[in-house]
Amino acid sequence: MGFPKLSLSSSSMVLLLVIMVMVLSFRAESKTYWGDIEVLKELKNGLDSNSVSPGSCISSWDFNVDPCDNLFSNRFTCGFRCDLNVSETSRVTELSLDQAGYNGSLSSISWNLPYLDILDLSNNFFSGPIPDSLANLTRLRRLGLSMNSFSGEIPTSISSLTELEELYLDNNKLEGAIPASFNNLVSLKRLELQSNKLTGEFPKLGSLNNLSFLDASNNAISGKIPWGFPSSLVQISMRNNSLEGTITPESFRTLGYLQVIDISHNRLSGSVPSLLFNLPSLQQLTLSFNQFSSVQAAASIDTQSELIAIDLSNNELRGFLPSFMALMPRLSALSLENNKFTGMIPTQYAFKAVIPGPGISPLTRLLLGGNYLLGPIPDPLMGLQPGSVNVRLVDNCLYRCPVTFFFCQGGQQKSLAECRSFAPVIP
């Protein structure tokens, strides 16, 4: 007895069920979206094959199998992350290469990865320009291109990545000005541009209300310090540039969260404004290797001052040593070396280094060498033992600073003739 023949309509139903099962099975396998696979292929094909070493992430990319289905297998060991989207298709959401010395260009890549959150190619040898096509990564939150050999100007197209929270372009060969359109990056929290060849004036970034960390050190940025920094900033580093002019209080007045200022190795001049010593959260102030000529004395020092380290060394500072700094309760490192200070060492400095009092942080570093300080060494310092406090008093006009004292070692005092020529009041 044979099986009954199915009608045409029944056969169609069976075929439809088979197709549905196949579709569901296909979805259950979480296949990678074809467009994302193409971008991964473009990235691999754009590399110098000699730079893809055995054991590196990209050496394991074998497109004979599906990338996301085989991620962390022996075919695709690392380098990216996949997540299912609403249509249950696997999309590439992170592309973070290992530091394997990859060499190549990004210019031939379409970057059509609309679900990508993180792109990190740091610590390799990518070169050439940063392509405008990165603007296709509309959901990108972190872009890391640090420690490569990218050249040319920073493309303004990056400014369209309004979801971007972290931008790392440091340690490359980038030239030209920092785009003023960076003001469009309203979600940005961290901006690192240090160690490039950037020029021009630093743009005003007042609209970046989420920015907390800014580093533009080791470039050739010129002009004045911009006013209107975002009030959210916690750290500003712009050392080793060509900034000039004075520091205006308006540049820092609203920065109530700022903890670190480093604008050393520039051409800044004029007075160090007293406002900097009264910022409520500031812990580190570094203005060394500039051309400042004076320090504005703070009218009053808040007992809640958070300043821990002040470095005003290697400037043109004149007058008496600022005694108000000895009243800062948490200050433990003070460097005023290689200036043109005169007068005697304030006794307050010595007491803060030796017997600061309850609840007061002692000075563990007091560097005053290379000035025109005169008179005797304050008595409290004379009882210090080597290794207890880092004190340096060489190259001054002190009445007596024999090398038997550790803080007088490493150099001589200035000659009497030199001291008299600079400060005629010296007998």
Side-chain angles (χ1 to χ4, degrees):
M1 179 174 171
F3 291 101
K5 292 185 178 180
L6 294 173
S7 65
L8 180 62
S9 59
S10 298
S11 300
S12 300
M13 288 292 293
V14 171
L15 180 60
L16 180 59
L17 287 172
V18 171
I19 293 173
M20 290 180 64
V21 170
M22 291 177 63
V23 170
L24 290 174
S25 299
F26 178 81
R27 290 185 174 181
E29 291 176 1
S30 305
K31 296 294 186 181
T32 311
Y33 182 69
W34 68 270
D36 294 6
I37 297 176
E38 289 303 310
V39 175
L40 296 178
K41 288 180 179 179
E42 290 171 357
L43 176 58
K44 182 174 183 178
N45 292 336
L47 296 176
D48 179 353
S49 59
N50 293 324
S51 70
V52 182
S53 58
S56 64
C57 283
I58 292 185
S59 69
S60 70
W61 291 9
D62 181 354
F63 294 100
N64 291 316
V65 297
D66 183 84
C68 292
D69 276 357
N70 289 273
L71 188 55
F72 305 123
S73 70
N74 60 345
R75 299 291 187 92
F76 286 91
T77 58
C78 57
F80 61 96
R81 188 186 78 236
C82 299
D83 289 297
L84 287 175
N85 67 1
V86 291
S87 64
E88 298 187 11
T89 303
S90 288
R91 304 303 300 261
V92 176
T93 54
E94 179 178 346
L95 185 52
S96 297
L97 297 185
D98 50 336
Q99 302 172 17
Y102 301 118
N103 184 5
S105 170
L106 306 184
S107 299
S108 61
I109 304 172
S110 62
W111 295 111
N112 290 320
L113 295 172
Y115 287 86
L116 198 69
D117 287 330
I118 298 172
L119 174 60
D120 193 342
L121 310 178
S122 302
N123 292 278
N124 282 289
F125 296 102
F126 288 101
S127 59
I130 297 174
D132 287 324
S133 54
L134 290 179
N136 293 332
L137 305 175
T138 54
R139 297 192 185 187
L140 201 65
R141 292 183 296 107
R142 186 172 82 211
L143 176 58
L145 303 179
S146 305
M147 299 292 291
N148 280 285
S149 296
F150 291 108
S151 58
E153 297 186 353
I154 300 174
T156 57
S157 56
I158 289 181
S159 304
S160 66
L161 302 176
T162 55
E163 301 296 318
L164 202 62
E165 297 179 1
E166 300 174 42
L167 178 57
Y168 302 91
L169 302 179
D170 55 284
N171 291 277
N172 280 287
K173 300 176 181 179
L174 299 171
E175 300 176 336
I178 301 168
S181 57
F182 271 11
N183 266 296
N184 297 332
L185 300 175
V186 292
S187 301
L188 200 64
K189 297 178 181 179
R190 192 177 186 99
L191 177 58
E192 299 205 25
L193 303 171
Q194 67 270 26
S195 300
N196 280 288
K197 301 177 181 179
L198 300 173
T199 56
E201 296 187 1
F202 195 87
K204 297 175 183 177
L205 300 177
S207 65
L208 304 187
N209 294 323
N210 295 298
L211 189 66
S212 61
F213 184 95
L214 168 63
D215 195 340
S217 303
N218 302 316
N219 281 289
I221 299 169
S222 58
K224 297 182 178 181
I225 296 176
W227 56 268
F229 282 120
S231 59
S232 55
L233 274 172
V234 174
Q235 179 168 336
I236 298 175
S237 298
M238 300 181 71
R239 65 183 176 275
N240 196 23
N241 278 286
S242 299
L243 297 171
E244 56 189 5
T246 61
I247 294 180
T248 58
E250 288 74 20
S251 299
F252 297 93
R253 191 179 302 280
T254 62
L255 305 185
Y257 300 102
L258 194 62
Q259 297 179 9
V260 176
I261 298 175
D262 187 350
I263 320 180
S264 58
H265 294 267
N266 278 283
R267 303 172 186 171
L268 299 171
S269 57
S271 294
V272 177
S274 59
L275 173 76
L276 296 182
F277 304 109
N278 284 315
L279 289 174
S281 299
L282 194 64
Q283 298 179 13
Q284 178 181 325
L285 175 62
T286 306
L287 301 177
S288 55
F289 291 93
N290 277 286
Q291 299 168 12
F292 292 109
S293 56
S294 62
V295 178
Q296 289 183 1
S300 62
I301 292 296
D302 191 338
T303 56
Q304 299 302 312
S305 171
E306 297 292 330
L307 267 167
I308 297 172
I310 297 175
D311 188 351
L312 304 181
S313 62
N314 295 278
N315 277 283
E316 299 292 326
L317 297 172
R318 295 172 178 263
F320 297 144
L321 291 173
S323 58
F324 70 89
M325 292 182 181
L327 304 178
M328 295 178 175
R330 292 174 177 78
L331 189 67
S332 60
L334 177 60
S335 179
L336 301 174
E337 282 192 306
N338 301 320
N339 281 288
K340 297 179 180 178
F341 285 114
T342 56
M344 294 190 293
I345 300 172
T347 306
Q348 298 97 313
Y349 281 23
F351 278 119
K352 185 168 174 57
V354 181
I355 43 176
I360 304 298
S361 297
L363 278 174
T364 58
R365 182 187 306 147
L366 179 60
L367 307 181
L368 304 177
N371 283 287
Y372 291 84
L373 303 176
L374 51 85
I377 298 172
D379 287 340
L381 294 181
M382 302 298 287
L384 289 175
Q385 298 299 316
S388 58
V389 182
N390 183 7
V391 178
R392 181 177 168 89
L393 303 179
V394 299
D395 193 25
N396 275 292
C397 300
L398 295 170
Y399 174 68
R400 195 179 103 181
C401 195
V403 293
T404 53
F405 295 115
F406 71 93
F407 44 75
C408 297
Q409 296 173 359
Q412 301 295 323
Q413 296 294 301
K414 289 182 171 67
S415 68
L416 184 60
E418 184 179 1
C419 292
R420 283 178 173 172
S421 66
F422 185 81
V425 297
I426 296 176

